Amino acid sequence: MVMLLLKIAVDYSAIKAVYIAPMKALAQEVVVKFGERVKGLGITVRECTGDMQLTRNEIMDSQLLVVTPEKYDVITRKGGDGTLITMVSLVIIDEVHLLADERGAVIETIVARTQRYIESSQRHVRIVGLSATLPNYRDVARFLAVGDRDPKSGTGGLFHFGPEYRPVPLDTTFIGVTEKNRVKAKEQMNLHAYRKMVAALEKGKQVMVFVHSRK
C-alpha cells in the first residue's frame, strides 16, 4: 500500500473576504464562529467595527474581515491601488433586507461602490446577500445584479429556499386587513398577530414573530 501526501501551497495574501453584519454583537459572534471553523486552514478572521480598530498590517494579514455596514462604508471611500476595496474578492451582506430600513442607504452605497469598482477594473468580485425575512427577494436580486437560477443548467445566483426545505412541514395562512388607514391597519395586524400568538401559547406551543425591522 502506497500513500501519497500532497502539500498544496496557498497564497493567503491573495484571499480577502468581507462579512458585513448589521450589529457589533452579531459581528463578534461571527468572528468566534468562523474563527473556530477555519482555524485549521490557517485563515485569520478579525473583527473591524467601531469598537475594534485594526492597523493596516492587521487588515493585510486577515483573510476574513467582519465589519458593520457603516465601518465598511468608511474604510472603502478612498479608492486607488492597495486600498481594501481593491483586495476584496467576496462581500457577504447578512440581513440584506435592511435595505428597507433607515440604514439601507449605507448598504446601497456599499453595493453601488463595489459594482462601480467591478465595472472600472473588470475584476470579479462576488456579492452574496443573506436574509431569512425577505418577501421581495427578486427585487433585491436585481439590485445585486443576480440572475434567477436555472435548475437545468445550474446557472444563476438566486437561491430561494421555500418551506419544502424545512424538516417539519409549514402551514401558511393569510389574514386580510381591509382597513385603509395605515395606523389603524397596523393596529389590526398587531392585534391579529397577538391573538394567534396567545392561541398557540395556550396550546403549549412556541411562538416566533418575524418583523421587517427591529424598529
Side-chain angles (χ1 to χ4, degrees):
M1 181 178 178
V2 179
M3 180 179 294
L4 298 177
L5 298 178
L6 299 179
K7 186 177 181 180
I8 302 175
V10 179
D11 182 9
Y12 289 104
S13 63
I15 302 174
K16 194 74 68 180
V18 169
Y19 190 107
I20 302 177
M23 297 175 293
K24 297 176 185 177
L26 182 58
Q28 294 169 356
E29 292 181 10
V30 172
V31 169
V32 174
K33 183 183 297 182
F34 276 81
E36 292 176 350
R37 293 186 177 183
V38 301
K39 182 171 57 177
L41 300 175
I43 294 176
T44 302
V45 183
R46 283 193 174 101
E47 176 190 349
C48 186
T49 61
D51 296 336
M52 190 67 65
Q53 301 291 338
L54 297 180
T55 64
R56 177 174 176 80
N57 288 337
E58 288 176 329
I59 293 177
M60 295 293 293
D61 293 339
S62 305
Q63 285 73 52
L64 175 60
L65 292 173
V66 184
V67 301
T68 56
E70 292 78 10
K71 185 65 176 182
Y72 190 65
D73 176 37
V74 170
I75 61 180
T76 57
R77 286 179 185 175
K78 292 183 179 180
D81 295 337
T83 56
L84 181 60
I85 196 171
T86 63
M87 304 176 189
V88 173
S89 56
L90 171 63
V91 178
I92 303 173
I93 306 174
D94 199 358
E95 308 288 354
V96 73
H97 56 265
L98 291 177
L99 278 166
D101 198 57
E102 57 187 14
R103 303 168 66 193
V106 180
I107 300 177
E108 287 185 27
T109 302
I110 291 172
V111 173
R113 185 178 296 141
T114 304
Q115 291 176 339
R116 186 169 64 248
Y117 168 73
I118 294 172
E119 293 174 0
S120 62
S121 65
Q122 293 299 303
R123 180 172 171 268
H124 177 68
V125 179
R126 175 173 290 180
I127 302 176
V128 178
L130 306 174
S131 176
T133 58
L134 190 63
N136 59 330
Y137 59 90
R138 292 189 184 278
D139 296 331
V140 176
R142 281 193 292 270
F143 171 69
L144 297 177
V146 175
D148 285 353
R149 186 168 181 80
D150 187 344
K152 294 183 179 179
S153 64
T155 59
L158 176 59
F159 292 83
H160 175 252
F161 302 98
E164 65 274 10
Y165 289 91
R166 292 176 55 87
V168 179
L170 182 68
D171 292 330
T172 304
T173 303
F174 292 93
I175 300 176
V177 177
T178 58
E179 176 61 54
K180 299 297 177 63
N181 184 280
R182 291 183 62 182
V183 176
K184 293 182 178 180
K186 191 172 183 178
E187 289 177 353
Q188 285 192 15
M189 286 191 288
N190 289 337
L191 181 60
H192 283 302
Y194 174 75
R195 288 173 177 171
K196 289 288 183 181
M197 179 184 68
V198 171
L201 292 175
E202 288 177 344
K203 296 178 181 178
K205 303 294 184 180
Q206 292 181 322
V207 178
M208 182 178 294
V209 180
F210 286 94
V211 293
H212 199 67
S213 68
R214 294 178 67 191
K215 182 178 179 180

